[in-house]
Amino acid sequence: MSDIVTAINDSEDNTSVVARIVTDGTGQHLVFNSIEPGTANAVTVTAADSDGSNGDLNGISQFASVNMDVPSVSNSDMTGLSRLSSDTTNKLTSVNGFDSNDTVGSGTLSFSSDGNRFDVNISATDKLDDIVDAINNNGDNTSIKASIVIDDAGDEHLMFSSRQSGDVHAITVTALDDDGDDNDMSGISQFSSVNQTATANIGHMSEVDAAADASIIIDGTIAVTNSENTFKDVIDGVTITANKVHDVGDDISRITITEDNDNVAAGINTFVESFNALVALSDQLGSSSESGGGALSGDSLLRGVMTKIRSQFNQAFDSGNDTTLTLSQLGIRTERDGTLSFEQDTLDDLIEESPDRVQTFFLGAEGDNGFVNNMDEFLGFYTDSDGIIQQRMDGKTAQLDKLDTEYEAFQLKMESLEARLLSQYNAMDLIVAQLSSTGSYLLAQLENMPGVVKSSS
């Protein structure tokens, strides 16, 4: 349906009708509004349906006027463009009043609110503040808050409040009273209620505020409820907050929706901060100081990337109506140190003059050929999973793997050489020892031969 809305609103021949999507509890609805008021501007829709039937509730014929709801709008009824009512929390207070020293009886109070159920045991000596502490400090209690309120007469009343708003968070209290009667107005049974959806949801308690969802009626026909006052995605791109119920005399025939362009400046600020962080990282990695250069000092890829990114900033992009814009015209300046600065006043003036030009500059006339898409494609050349940076990383990883392999082979070669040399030197050492032993033996034999005269000292 979003494609249908876009096709209608972007049609060059369309000067009278606005299409939009409204979402309620049953799903999404296609809504047509005339741009100008008055009976002369009533919208008529006919269909030439490819399914062969132009009058049924199938295919595009379901959007023909005969098959569309036409709400009647009046400022004196409960319909209109939007009838708002705020959400409320459930509050129950005891009918009977007490003195701070009074005890109320004993037994067990069982609480329930949107699936959270827990029991609180009350003793015969417990006063109201003891009951409040027992409820609020119960480890299973995530839904109900107990308190004491004092009326004009000075009497204290026990009050139960749901922690969250909305109909599903209404409170049910049942009693198991030790006095034998769980339904009278004495003992702890005086704090019981009936059920959380009945209109007389009081039992023995007085209902200060009924649990209720916030509600909104769009175009007098589509009712949407929510446990909170904020409605998101009911109308595509619009957030509605219900602050109060409109009185019958209020003029509710028109709601003014203004563009929120603050996100443009916020996005540009984020872009500028991110680029400046990249500049700082680039300077650190490419540093060539004598005390120790950066990890990518002298790397041509780093210099090339930064140079080409800056060149992208100087490009002019189509901004519609045969005009172009550059980043500098949006208030983005390049400083001498290579960082960017942002003058928001320049952007605000341009948005006030022509927000469509700013949108076209960033997104392009077709939504795919503006500055954002251009930068995405350019950076993707470097940062994609098969981009230049990944290829460079893969190449360096392959070199490291090759060095590891060569190192392991060299280690094996050195270990083999060490073993061989050790074996050879051990063998040589053994031979030298044997020769030394043989020499000593021969010398002894020669000295003992007849005729050999020892020289005197």
Side-chain angles (χ1 to χ4, degrees):
M1 286 213 298
S2 60
D3 296 328
I4 298 176
V5 168
T6 301
I8 294 171
N9 293 338
D10 291 351
S11 172
E12 294 181 355
D13 297 325
N14 177 17
T15 60
S16 59
V17 178
V18 174
R20 55 192 170 86
I21 295 172
V22 173
T23 306
D24 64 5
T26 64
Q28 293 185 327
H29 301 264
L30 187 59
V31 177
F32 305 133
N33 287 107
S34 58
I35 295 176
E36 298 294 333
T39 57
N41 295 299
V43 179
T44 298
V45 185
T46 58
D49 201 334
S50 298
D51 66 8
S53 177
N54 296 331
D56 60 8
L57 281 172
N58 297 318
I60 65 168
S61 54
Q62 64 186 295
F63 301 126
S65 298
V66 67
N67 293 323
M68 298 283 280
D69 289 327
V70 182
S72 59
V73 178
S74 171
N75 288 336
S76 61
D77 60 14
M78 287 297 290
T79 64
L81 180 63
S82 62
R83 171 65 65 175
L84 308 180
S85 64
S86 300
D87 61 343
T88 56
T89 57
N90 194 201
K91 291 183 180 179
L92 304 176
T93 184
S94 61
V95 175
N96 293 334
F98 302 90
D99 182 81
S100 59
N101 295 318
D102 290 343
T103 57
V104 296
S106 60
T108 301
L109 290 176
S110 298
F111 294 86
S112 175
S113 176
D114 190 29
N116 175 225
R117 294 178 174 83
F118 62 95
D119 296 332
V120 175
N121 295 320
I122 310 298
S123 71
T125 58
D126 285 342
K127 303 171 187 177
L128 284 192
D129 55 353
D130 296 321
I131 298 175
V132 168
D133 290 340
I135 295 171
N136 292 338
N137 296 329
N138 188 288
D140 296 324
N141 177 15
T142 61
S143 59
I144 296 169
K145 180 180 179 181
S147 58
I148 296 174
V149 294
I150 302 175
D151 62 17
D152 293 338
D155 292 332
E156 296 183 350
H157 297 262
L158 184 59
M159 176 178 283
F160 307 135
S161 304
S162 57
R163 295 181 185 270
Q164 292 179 276
S165 60
D167 182 72
V168 296
H169 298 289
I171 301 169
T172 295
V173 188
T174 57
L176 184 62
D177 201 334
D178 287 345
D179 67 9
D181 190 339
D182 299 334
N183 297 302
D184 60 5
M185 285 293 290
S186 63
I188 66 167
S189 54
Q190 63 186 297
F191 303 126
S192 65
S193 64
V194 183
N195 69 71
Q196 64 227 46
T197 58
T199 54
N201 179 22
I202 53 174
H204 300 318
M205 300 284 282
S206 176
E207 188 171 52
V208 179
D209 291 320
D213 290 339
S215 65
I216 180 172
I217 299 177
I218 305 296
D219 288 324
T221 58
I222 302 173
V224 185
T225 60
N226 190 31
S227 60
E228 298 179 352
N229 281 338
T230 301
F231 295 80
K232 296 181 179 179
D233 301 324
V234 175
I235 299 176
D236 190 31
V238 177
T239 298
I240 299 174
T241 301
N243 293 321
K244 68 173 184 177
V245 179
H246 282 254
D247 295 329
V248 172
D250 290 346
D251 182 0
I252 58 172
S253 60
R254 186 181 300 275
I255 286 181
T256 301
I257 298 175
T258 58
E259 293 180 336
D260 180 8
N261 294 312
D262 291 342
N263 59 332
V264 179
I268 290 178
N269 268 318
T270 301
F271 170 76
V272 169
E273 291 171 0
S274 298
F275 179 77
N276 289 344
L278 176 63
V279 171
L281 178 62
S282 172
D283 291 343
Q284 176 186 346
L285 294 175
S287 172
S288 57
S289 61
E290 295 181 358
S291 59
L296 298 179
S297 177
D299 193 307
S300 60
L301 177 62
L302 178 62
R303 295 194 304 272
V305 168
M306 297 305 296
T307 299
K308 290 180 180 179
I309 289 178
R310 289 191 176 94
S311 69
Q312 295 292 108
F313 296 166
N314 298 323
Q315 289 192 36
F317 289 87
D318 177 29
S319 58
N321 298 323
D322 297 325
T323 63
T324 60
L325 284 173
T326 62
L327 283 181
S328 62
Q329 292 174 282
L330 272 69
I332 302 175
R333 316 289 188 209
T334 300
E335 302 298 328
R336 290 189 176 185
D337 61 357
T339 60
L340 297 179
S341 62
F342 176 42
E343 300 172 0
Q344 186 171 338
D345 290 344
T346 302
L347 175 69
D348 292 341
D349 292 342
L350 186 59
I351 289 178
E352 183 177 357
E353 175 188 343
S354 179
D356 290 341
R357 288 190 66 197
V358 177
Q359 177 177 316
T360 303
F361 168 82
F362 281 111
L363 302 181
E366 303 299 327
D368 60 356
N369 59 348
F371 174 80
V372 172
N373 188 70
N374 181 273
M375 284 297 298
D376 184 62
E377 290 183 354
F378 169 76
L379 294 176
F381 176 76
Y382 290 95
T383 61
D384 284 348
S385 58
D386 57 349
I388 296 298
I389 293 177
Q390 186 61 49
Q391 292 178 20
R392 177 69 68 88
M393 291 172 62
D394 292 342
K396 296 300 182 183
T397 301
Q399 290 180 359
L400 290 173
D401 291 342
K402 182 180 179 182
L403 287 175
D404 286 341
T405 302
E406 292 177 348
Y407 175 76
E408 291 175 0
F410 181 76
Q411 283 287 93
L412 290 174
K413 183 177 180 180
M414 290 297 99
E415 290 173 1
S416 176
L417 176 61
E418 180 185 18
R420 180 165 58 82
L421 291 176
L422 183 61
S423 176
Q424 291 174 344
Y425 280 115
N426 284 337
M428 184 177 67
D429 187 60
L430 180 61
I431 293 173
V432 169
Q434 290 175 346
L435 289 175
S436 176
S437 176
T438 301
S440 297
Y441 172 76
L442 290 176
L443 184 59
Q445 293 300 316
L446 289 173
E447 289 178 346
N448 293 325
M449 288 181 65
V452 176
V453 180
K454 294 182 179 180
S455 61
S456 61
S457 57

